[in-house]
Amino acid sequence: MDAEGVLAGLDPEQRAVAEAVRGPVCVLAGAGTGKTRAITHRIAYATLTGVVAPQQVLAVTFTTRAAGELRGRLRQLGAPGVQARTFHAAALRQLSYFWPKVVGGDPPKIIESKLPVVADAARAVGLSLGRTELRDVAGEIEWAKVTQRRPEDYAAAVKTTGRKPPADVTDIAHVYAVYEQLRRERNLLDFEGMLELTVAVLLEHPEVARQVHDQYRYFVVDEFQDVNPLQRLLLDTWLGGRKELCVVGDPNQTIYSFTGATPSYLLDFPQEFPDAKVIKLVRDYRSTPQVVRLANTVIGQARSETARRHRLELTAQREDGPEPVYSEYDDEVAEADDVARRCRKLIDEGVPAREIAVLFRINAQSETYEQALSAAGVPYVLRGAERFFERPEVREAVIRLRAATRGTDAETEGMGLIQKVRHVLLGAGFTNDPPEGAGAARARWESLAALAQLAEDMAADNPAADLPDFVTELEERAAAQHAPPLEGVTLASLHAAKGLEWDAVFLVGLVEGTLPIIYAETPDQVEEERRLFYVGITRAREHLGLSWALARSPGGPRFRRPSRFLEGVTTKVTTHTPARADRAKRRTAKSGPQPCRVCGRPLTAPVERKLGRCEDCPAAFNEDLLLRLKEWRTETAADQRIPAYVVFTDATLQAIAERDPATLEELAQIPGVGKVKLDKYGEAVLSLCGGG
């Protein structure tokens, strides 16, 4: 593609971004406005017009998925040599390259999780912390490190910032200090330390800084509203006082301030660089006018002066679609059941399951929806629960595809990309029609079908693409863990959904205390919760459902209030009473909440409902059976490359061991064993129980 071809098809604002090839440049880009398109075309235009060589460009983003998408688009635009990486990946690459020259010896080992070292540090200072508490303390250590606070500064920083720590500040400071000591003694490096060390190497070794500055002369940073002080320090070190910087972000999508991120770098960019060109992208190509109208209304109610000054009001570019649907339910179970029914209806009407998402504020809300979707026979995918490219069938398929690029096959001569890929996948066990039922065979087929669909998408984007191009795409996606969408409804938290989009989105659990979350107390914290709601709304292309439940459990007290963010935006609300929600009726018509089978007390907690008894009530069960079930679950999860809890939770296995079902019908009565899991694992479980 030539330079003029790169500009073709861009709207006026996107073209302005692409033609602004000299920095500093600040792009304020609303949700769905084509910011990735704008910045990739800017990079490609700059390289094709000779402003900069592709190898001298460093494009930085926050996820390996986004970095992989940037590289893929740039390759299609004729700029394949551009480096597109996360902050951490770029820092690790530089640190690994220069370590033998400037430090020497064995480099430290990079740790992906702080939890083991934090646990050791907690024990060393006499604290006994559970896994949740360990995660909370690890989060505090990360916040302190990215905001450049040392252990001795932590307590004062908490007081100054008004932060609410999850434990005693003195205890956290002690754990933080010992964590750092143990990390150094064990020659370990966490992600924050990696950035710090890279900065130190560049600042303390001028010859290294010169080499990096010669290599990278042109910088683009995406999601700039999410940059934290440590990342900004690294970026400034890379820049070395130069101004060839283009930043892109959306102040309406600032949702990570609790991790140390600050939108001030984006909002104050014009003051920092008075000669900066500021361009706004507000044409929304993603969502229907109905969704865009709601998004604008929600964010328009933000009360802070900063929000008012920097607001981006989106302008819908798509044709009209259905109005958002607002639904009120008696309890969470009825809400989940009806959302599952509506997902089933959308799928039956032709919406692919992978184009539907159920989004919630906290991960603990997921379990109820897993049960409801399973009971409705709707496949689902927990975002972040598995690594697609590590599945055995995917690894085998990639090996076969790679081999096919090196050999000659008379059968594939004259075939296009789609036909060639399908021909290779047939040899790996792929069929045009899926196998009946669920189970491992269906899961394997869905993995191969995702590869076939990816080939179709690539051929549509680039009709000249051939098998070697497809294999290159797969290898880059594998390196970035950028998996193709699987055929299942996505269950994800609102934070995990950022950067993604679906045809249909259900925003659930919209009650006070959940959204905004109960510990959002200051005006700034509440406004961040509003932005999180806005992010959820703008994930939807066409169908949008918003719902809440007045009670937590069937028959429970109905004291909950809809989220304050719904005030002034809801139009017609559908109230689902037991008489109008069939499944809710079946669950509540008996005698309210499910009673404990030991003491008779009403059960409200999900774990207790699964067990059929209070957690502290005695229960007889076969310990050998429970052990066999857990061993089977571990092996099954390993074979399928999924977390063990996705097979069955501990509570469900405990309930199975206590009830020892003899038939599929008895197994199906246990909460947590829906139709999908019954089809997938029922016979195997019964064989362990002795009922097969």
Side-chain angles (χ1 to χ4, degrees):
M1 186 177 293
D2 60 18
E4 285 305 311
V6 166
L7 298 179
L10 299 179
D11 69 30
E13 294 78 23
Q14 292 171 346
R15 184 175 180 122
V17 173
E19 292 180 325
V21 292
R22 289 295 185 187
V25 176
C26 178
V27 182
L28 299 176
T33 58
K35 68 178 178 66
T36 304
R37 178 179 174 83
I39 60 175
T40 52
H41 283 246
R42 176 183 185 268
I43 294 170
Y45 187 67
T47 61
L48 291 171
T49 55
V51 172
V52 65
Q55 295 77 13
Q56 294 176 326
V57 181
L58 180 58
V60 187
T61 187
F62 278 80
T63 66
T64 53
R65 180 185 180 278
E69 184 178 353
L70 282 176
R71 287 194 296 271
R73 293 201 190 191
L74 288 166
R75 188 170 59 249
Q76 293 175 4
L77 292 170
V82 172
Q83 296 294 314
R85 300 181 181 278
T86 64
F87 274 101
H88 295 103
L92 178 59
R93 191 166 186 260
Q94 293 175 16
L95 199 59
S96 301
Y97 180 80
F98 290 112
W99 185 271
K101 300 179 182 180
V102 299
V103 181
D106 294 333
K109 179 184 176 183
I110 307 298
I111 55 173
E112 292 193 6
S113 172
K114 292 181 176 63
L115 291 185
V117 185
V118 172
D120 290 345
R123 282 193 291 269
V125 300
L127 293 177
S128 177
L129 302 179
R131 189 166 183 83
T132 300
E133 295 166 310
L134 285 174
R135 280 198 296 265
D136 290 341
V137 172
E140 284 300 288
I141 293 174
E142 288 176 5
W143 173 81
K145 296 189 75 169
V146 302
T147 56
Q148 296 291 274
R149 269 82 174 213
R150 304 305 174 197
E152 59 271 20
D153 306 323
Y154 172 75
V158 167
K159 185 176 181 180
T160 302
T161 60
R163 188 175 180 86
K164 290 189 176 296
D168 181 78
V169 291
T170 303
D171 288 342
I172 294 176
H174 287 162
V175 173
Y176 181 13
V178 176
Y179 166 84
E180 290 288 83
Q181 177 187 340
L182 293 176
R183 185 183 57 75
R184 288 190 292 268
E185 290 174 356
R186 299 172 185 180
N187 198 29
L188 302 175
L189 198 61
D190 55 28
F191 287 131
E192 297 78 33
M194 184 199 309
L195 301 191
E196 289 179 325
L197 195 52
T198 304
V199 170
V201 168
L202 289 168
L203 293 178
E204 295 173 12
H205 298 273
E207 71 282 4
V208 172
R210 279 194 299 271
Q211 192 169 342
V212 171
H213 292 162
D214 286 342
Q215 173 68 51
Y216 298 117
R217 303 183 180 186
Y218 202 83
F219 295 85
V220 177
V221 184
D222 194 10
E223 303 289 3
F224 202 60
Q225 78 279 352
D226 293 333
V227 166
N228 62 47
L230 180 54
Q231 291 165 334
R232 181 58 198 265
L233 177 61
L234 176 60
L235 177 62
D236 288 343
T237 309
W238 283 337
L239 282 167
R242 296 169 294 175
K243 295 184 178 181
E244 283 300 347
L245 172 64
C246 174
V247 300
V248 190
D250 180 3
N252 289 345
Q253 296 189 65
T254 302
I255 59 174
Y256 290 111
S257 63
F258 67 94
T259 67
T262 171
S264 62
Y265 300 130
L266 174 67
L267 300 177
D268 296 341
F269 194 86
Q271 286 72 49
E272 182 180 357
F273 297 95
D275 56 338
K277 178 173 286 189
V278 179
I279 305 168
K280 294 184 178 181
L281 302 181
V282 296
R283 300 176 195 246
D284 187 315
Y285 298 95
R286 175 188 299 161
S287 305
T288 62
Q290 287 74 15
V291 173
V292 170
R293 190 180 305 122
L294 174 60
N296 283 336
T297 301
V298 166
I299 207 66
Q301 293 180 346
R303 297 174 175 84
S304 71
E305 177 62 26
T306 299
R308 286 195 292 270
R309 273 194 300 118
H310 299 284
R311 180 173 299 132
L312 293 175
E313 185 163 338
L314 301 175
T315 303
Q317 303 297 301
R318 288 187 54 178
E319 295 182 355
D320 279 346
E323 290 288 342
V325 176
Y326 303 90
S327 303
E328 181 177 278
Y329 298 89
D330 279 0
D331 55 74
E332 285 185 4
V333 174
E335 181 182 11
D337 287 342
D338 197 53
V339 167
R341 179 192 63 78
R342 291 162 68 188
C343 288
R344 178 78 268 168
K345 184 173 183 291
L346 285 170
I347 294 170
D348 292 342
E349 291 172 351
V351 178
R354 66 177 179 275
E355 288 294 350
I356 304 173
V358 178
L359 307 181
F360 31 76
R361 176 60 179 86
I362 56 175
N363 288 319
Q365 294 170 271
S366 172
E367 184 178 13
T368 303
Y369 289 88
E370 293 175 51
Q371 294 180 21
L373 290 168
S374 293
V378 176
Y380 64 87
V381 176
L382 288 170
R383 175 144 178 82
E386 57 191 346
R387 290 181 178 266
F388 176 81
F389 287 100
E390 293 177 7
R391 295 181 175 185
E393 64 270 20
V394 175
R395 289 203 305 267
E396 178 191 348
V398 172
I399 291 171
R400 286 173 175 266
L401 288 163
R402 190 181 295 122
T405 65
R406 296 192 294 265
T408 57
D409 188 341
E411 291 186 43
T412 62
E413 286 185 17
M415 287 185 179
L417 173 62
I418 298 172
Q419 291 78 14
K420 286 182 179 179
V421 170
R422 283 183 168 269
H423 177 78
V424 175
L425 295 180
L426 287 172
F430 181 61
T431 57
N432 290 325
D433 297 316
E436 293 185 5
R442 179 60 184 248
R444 176 185 174 88
W445 183 89
E446 288 177 351
S447 297
L448 299 178
L451 294 177
Q453 181 62 50
L454 187 62
E456 292 186 19
D457 294 342
M458 187 173 188
D461 291 338
N462 179 15
D466 205 349
L467 197 57
D469 302 311
F470 183 67
V471 171
T472 299
E473 173 75 10
L474 289 180
E475 290 172 344
E476 292 194 354
R477 281 174 169 264
Q481 286 301 328
H482 180 191
L486 296 172
E487 199 55 49
V489 171
T490 300
L491 295 176
S493 70
L494 288 166
H495 282 100
K498 187 171 179 290
L500 303 175
E501 59 187 78
W502 295 270
D503 285 346
V505 169
F506 294 93
L507 301 178
V508 300
L510 302 179
V511 294
E512 286 290 305
T514 302
L515 190 76
I517 199 72
I518 192 169
Y519 47 75
E521 299 176 352
T522 68
D524 285 346
Q525 290 169 340
V526 171
E527 288 308 317
E528 181 148 333
E529 293 288 300
R530 182 190 303 279
R531 293 192 295 271
L532 192 57
F533 184 36
Y534 172 86
V535 166
I537 292 169
T538 55
R539 299 311 93 195
R541 298 192 191 102
E542 184 174 0
H543 304 278
L544 179 61
L546 305 97
S547 62
W548 58 94
L550 300 178
R552 182 167 179 264
S553 304
R558 300 167 63 191
F559 60 84
R560 289 176 163 180
R561 293 188 297 114
S563 169
R564 70 190 72 174
F565 302 144
L566 293 167
E567 294 174 6
V569 303
T570 53
T571 52
K572 180 181 178 182
V573 178
T574 301
T575 302
H576 295 262
T577 64
R580 298 183 65 182
D582 293 339
R583 191 164 176 81
K585 179 180 179 181
R586 288 198 299 271
R587 294 195 181 191
T588 59
K590 296 178 182 178
S591 57
Q594 174 187 351
C596 171
R597 55 190 168 84
V598 179
C599 71
R601 183 183 69 83
L603 303 177
T604 57
V607 169
E608 292 181 335
R609 292 202 302 270
K610 278 191 177 183
L611 294 175
R613 61 171 176 81
C614 304
E615 284 193 272
D616 53 359
C617 278
F621 66 94
N622 185 328
E623 292 186 6
D624 289 338
L625 173 56
L626 181 58
L627 182 61
R628 291 199 303 273
L629 287 167
K630 288 188 174 182
E631 289 175 347
W632 164 81
R633 181 183 63 174
T634 299
E635 294 172 359
T636 302
D639 289 343
Q640 297 180 7
R641 300 283 175 175
I642 58 177
Y645 71 85
V646 175
V647 180
F648 284 119
T649 64
D650 285 346
T652 300
L653 291 188
Q654 177 82 23
I656 293 172
E658 291 181 13
R659 303 188 192 189
D660 196 8
T663 66
L664 287 173
E665 289 73 21
E666 291 179 6
L667 180 60
Q669 297 303 310
I670 298 175
V673 185
K675 181 180 184 302
V676 172
K677 291 190 178 183
L678 191 69
D679 292 341
K680 200 170 188 178
Y681 306 123
E683 296 295 344
V685 169
L686 287 182
S687 68
L688 295 171
C689 296

